[in-house]
Every structure is written in C-alpha cells, then in structure tokens.
Amino acid sequence: MSRFANRKEMVSWALYDCANNGFVTPIQTFIFAAYFTKAVAENPTAGTHLWGNMISAAGLTIALGGPLLGAVADRVGRRKPWIGFFTLLCIAATFTLWFVQPEPSFVLLALIGVGLGTIGSEYALIFYNAMLSDLVPNKRTGRWSGWGWAAGYVGGLSCLVLSFFLFVGDNPLIPLGSDNALDVRATVLLAGAWYALFALPLFLFTPDTPSTGTPLGKAAVQGMRQLKDSIAHVRQYKHIVRFLIARMLYNDGLGTVFAFGGIYAAGVIGMSAQEVLLFGVALNITAGLGAFAFAWVDDWIGPKPTILLSIAGLLVPGTIMLFLSSKLWFLVVGCVLGLFFGPIQSASRSYMARTAPPELRNQFFGLYALSGKLTSFAGPLIVGWLTYISGSQRVGMSTVIFLFLAGGLILLTVPKAAEAHEEIVKGEAAKDDVLAE
C-alpha cells in the first residue's frame, strides 16, 4: 500500500468485526448453543460434553494451523483472498445448521457445522487483524482497534436481539412456530446473512496489500521455512513471546468468565434463566462501551498501560463479585467488570499490530491466535476441579483472579510497544549483518 486508509475504508474494515460477531454471539454463545444442548443432543449433559469437545477440537486446529497459514500468507502478500475464503467457509457452515432438526441423529451435522464455522471465523480474523497496521499510522492504531471491537459487540448483540424479535420471542414478527424448531433454526439463516452483509464492505472498499506474485505452492514452502527460522531465532522476538504468554493467561481468565459467568450467576446468586440472559446482554453492552471509550486511551498512553489498567479493572470488581449475594449489586459490579472486557482485547490487538515485524505480520497474528486458543481449556478445567474439590463455586471462580494477576505480572516485564518494535528492528538489522558476512 502506498497510503493509509481513509475514514470510509476504515469503517468498512471495522464492520468486519460486526459481521464476525453475527456468528459468535447467536451461534456459539446463546441461541444455537442452547438449542443443541437442550433439543438436539440426547440430554443436556451429553450435549454440553459434546459441545465442549467440539469447541476444544476447533480451538486446537486454529492454534496449530494459524502460524503456518500466516507465514504462507506473508509470502503471498494479499490478505483479502484468505479472509474471503474463510468467511465463505463460516457462512456456508452456518447455513448448513438450518438442516439440524431437534433429534439426536443430527448431532454430527451440528458439530461439524459449528466446528467448521468456528475455524473459518477465527482463521479469517488472523488476516483481518493483520491488516490494521497497514491501514492506519501507529498513533491511530488503538482507536481503530477499539472501535472495531465495539462494532463487534454491537453487531453480536444486534443480531441476537433481531433474532428474538423476528423469530424466537414471545410474539415474533415472523411467527414460524416451534414445530421442528423452525423458529430457532431460522436464526442461523439470519446469522449467516448478517455475516455476509457486514463483511461485504471490507472487500469492496478497504485496500489490500499488493500481491508478491509468488505461487501458492512456492509460498507454502517459503512460509514453512520462515516459520522454522522464526522459531530458531525466537530470542530475537522474546518480548513478543512474553506478551503472548501474558495474553494467554489473562485471555484464559476472560474465557473462563464467559464460560462460567452464567452458571455462577444462576448457581450462587440465584438468577433465573431470563435474568442471566439480561445480565449477559448488559455485560456485552458495557464491554462495547468500554472498547469504544478506551480506544482513545490506547493511543494516548499506549496499549501496554491500557492492558494493565484493564487487568486492574477486572481484578477489583471480579474479587468483589466473589463475595456478593445480592442480585442487584452483582449486576452493578458485573457491569463495571464488563467495561474492561473490550479494552483488554482491543489493546492486545493494538500491541501486536504495533510490534509485529511488517514482513511477518500474518505469521505473528497466527501466533496471536495460538496464544488465545492453545490453553483455553485450562481455566475452565481448573474451575471445574476446584469447584468439585471444595464444593464451592465461589472457590472455583477465584481461578480467574489468579489468571488475571499472573497475566498482569508477566506483562509488567514486557516493554512498551514502541520500545519492543525498536528492539525487533535492531534484531532484524543484526541478523541481516550476520547473513551478509
């Protein structure tokens, strides 16, 4: 690219976050996930077990394949074809979920559909995230990363609310009826259409990096060599490695909150299913507001201080919530907690965008995806065992506090984004000198 993107092109880029969450929120988190466990699987226990295994398998695929795909894409140059392929994979997989009827014989189809959709959704984000540094200067990276995350929360919630009003609410605008779960199954068609509609501006208006002209087969060979070389010279990228380890820990804490927050609210606080849903909506709203508001903070003080501030914002209310019994105060403090969900994620993306070597950006965002998925099972596993051993959900959920704290302590050893970038540039120059000799 010879220039940075203008506002129209950047808004088109940010809308892809909105598109992607049209799959994540109604399919992975709320409507279809609940439909699968309650109506498709033989029983809720078996459904939860199968769903968890499927998400874990998809996460492992994303973690292991992401860095290699990113390395190959770095040799090819363009990113839109990769985003387009995996976007189409996710949309196609989402549409196939229409055929999943409320019978155990459709379990395999449901798991394959959601699994492929998850893989497509997450792989597309690797190349989408990697576009950010080429589109805007460093002084604006934080705000656009934050605005993208905010658009994602708005998109996911809007698609969810629209699903309720159109199909699955008490008095839907399109009364398909619950026979054969037509009302629930129609929501997957909306989710797929939502993804396609809001992804389209990225492909129409946002500029892409130019092609290198390298054939895909040759790029695959070069990409594997480059990934091997990056691993061999890992000390050169030690700051990014420490950042990824820190992110892995605090991201596991976030994932655990998302996985067990509703269960904790129901089991310990005594919230009804409707109250838990409203609580989830409130958290998503505050998370979007936080991502939007802290976008300027990121550009002002930098992504590392923003992440540390967010961790503090998760630790304090998170600890308080472990001792609450009142539904009202749990909701109030929970909304304060939610304010920092978006900033910690958008600032993490901003940090990687500012520090990854330009010629290896796709590969490093593949490693970024790996750090978010490789140990995602650990937090929920520890919570489950601690709850079982102690007989207390409060004790089990205390795990997230230690994950946030551990991630923050490691992040303290990581240089600020500008300093890390300078050290990587010096390392690249030193390596080139060695090769020249």
Side-chain angles (χ1 to χ4, degrees):
M1 288 177 58
S2 58
R3 62 171 179 84
F4 289 120
N6 59 37
R7 184 174 294 274
K8 175 185 176 181
E9 293 164 343
M10 285 310 302
V11 169
S12 299
W13 175 86
L15 282 176
Y16 191 86
D17 263 313
C18 176
N20 190 272
N21 275 271
F23 169 80
V24 173
T25 304
I27 303 298
Q28 281 187 331
T29 309
F30 287 107
I31 299 175
F32 193 83
Y35 168 64
F36 176 82
T37 56
K38 294 180 179 179
V40 181
E42 190 172 351
N43 56 66
T45 301
T48 301
H49 174 69
L50 290 169
W51 188 269
N53 287 344
M54 176 272 297
I55 292 295
S56 297
L60 185 61
T61 302
I62 295 159
L64 297 180
L68 178 57
L69 281 177
V72 175
D74 282 326
R75 316 323 298 172
V76 174
R78 297 184 65 201
R79 298 189 177 105
K80 280 189 182 180
W82 298 87
I83 301 172
F85 174 79
F86 289 115
T87 297
L88 288 175
L89 173 62
C90 183
I91 293 171
T94 301
F95 281 140
T96 64
L97 298 177
W98 159 260
F99 300 102
V100 176
Q101 299 179 32
E103 299 175 13
S105 59
F106 289 91
V107 162
L108 183 60
L109 177 61
L111 293 175
I112 292 175
V114 177
L116 288 176
T118 301
I119 291 170
S121 167
E122 293 286 345
Y123 273 159
L125 287 179
I126 291 174
F127 308 101
Y128 165 72
N129 290 337
M131 293 180 76
L132 182 57
S133 291
D134 292 318
L135 296 174
V136 293
N138 276 347
K139 64 181 181 180
R140 295 182 180 272
T141 299
R143 71 191 67 181
W144 280 107
S145 181
W147 292 343
W149 272 103
Y153 282 112
V154 171
L157 270 179
S158 299
C159 188
L160 181 66
V161 170
L162 195 59
S163 296
F164 274 96
F165 278 110
L166 289 178
F167 305 118
V168 297
D170 291 334
N171 296 295
L173 296 176
I174 304 177
L176 297 175
S178 58
D179 291 344
N180 214 20
L182 285 177
D183 52 351
V184 175
R185 289 160 56 199
T187 63
V188 306
L189 302 180
L190 175 63
W194 182 280
Y195 202 148
L197 176 64
F198 287 97
L200 194 57
L202 172 78
F203 299 102
L204 292 178
F205 304 117
T206 305
D208 196 2
T209 48
S211 171
T212 63
T214 305
L216 185 59
K218 185 177 180 180
V221 174
Q222 292 177 347
M224 286 187 282
R225 288 175 180 168
Q226 178 57 62
L227 184 59
K228 182 180 178 181
D229 181 69
S230 296
I231 295 172
H233 295 87
V234 69
R235 289 180 61 85
Q236 181 181 332
Y237 311 110
K238 59 185 178 181
H239 306 303
I240 291 183
V241 172
R242 286 207 304 274
F243 163 69
L244 292 176
I245 293 172
R247 178 181 180 263
M248 183 171 63
L249 289 167
Y250 63 70
N251 199 64
D252 281 356
L254 282 178
T256 304
V257 171
F258 296 149
F260 285 92
I263 296 172
Y264 183 88
V268 176
I269 307 301
M271 286 186 170
S272 65
Q274 185 176 9
E275 288 171 333
V276 170
L277 180 59
L278 291 174
F279 179 56
V281 170
L283 285 181
N284 276 272
I285 291 173
T286 55
L289 290 173
F292 183 82
F294 274 79
W296 284 280
V297 176
D298 185 334
D299 285 335
W300 177 36
I301 65 175
K304 176 188 171 181
T306 303
I307 298 170
L308 290 172
L309 180 61
S310 299
I311 289 175
L314 292 168
L315 281 172
V316 175
T319 302
I320 292 172
M321 291 177 75
L322 292 175
F323 298 95
L324 293 176
S325 299
S326 164
K327 290 182 183 180
L328 177 60
W329 280 110
F330 187 81
L331 175 62
V332 171
V333 179
C335 286
V336 175
L337 182 83
L339 284 172
F340 298 95
F341 285 172
I344 196 172
Q345 296 175 89
S346 65
S348 296
R349 175 165 68 183
S350 170
Y351 186 93
M352 178 57 74
R354 295 172 195 256
T355 57
E359 71 280 3
L360 303 176
R361 199 161 281 145
N362 295 308
Q363 179 190 141
F364 273 78
F365 269 105
L367 292 170
Y368 182 82
L370 184 150
S371 75
K373 295 294 181 182
L374 190 60
T375 62
S376 58
F377 66 90
L381 182 67
I382 296 171
V383 168
W385 275 105
L386 274 180
T387 301
Y388 174 76
I389 293 170
S390 66
S392 168
Q393 284 183 278
R394 294 183 191 272
V395 173
M397 280 299 287
S398 67
T399 299
V400 301
I401 302 301
F402 292 102
L403 287 170
F404 290 145
L405 185 60
L409 290 174
I410 293 177
L411 190 66
L412 287 172
T413 71
V414 175
K416 292 183 177 181
E419 297 169 358
H421 180 71
E422 288 177 6
E423 294 201 22
I424 287 175
V425 171
K426 291 178 181 177
E428 290 284 350
K431 187 170 73 173
D432 290 342
D433 290 342
V434 170
L435 292 175
E437 292 174 1

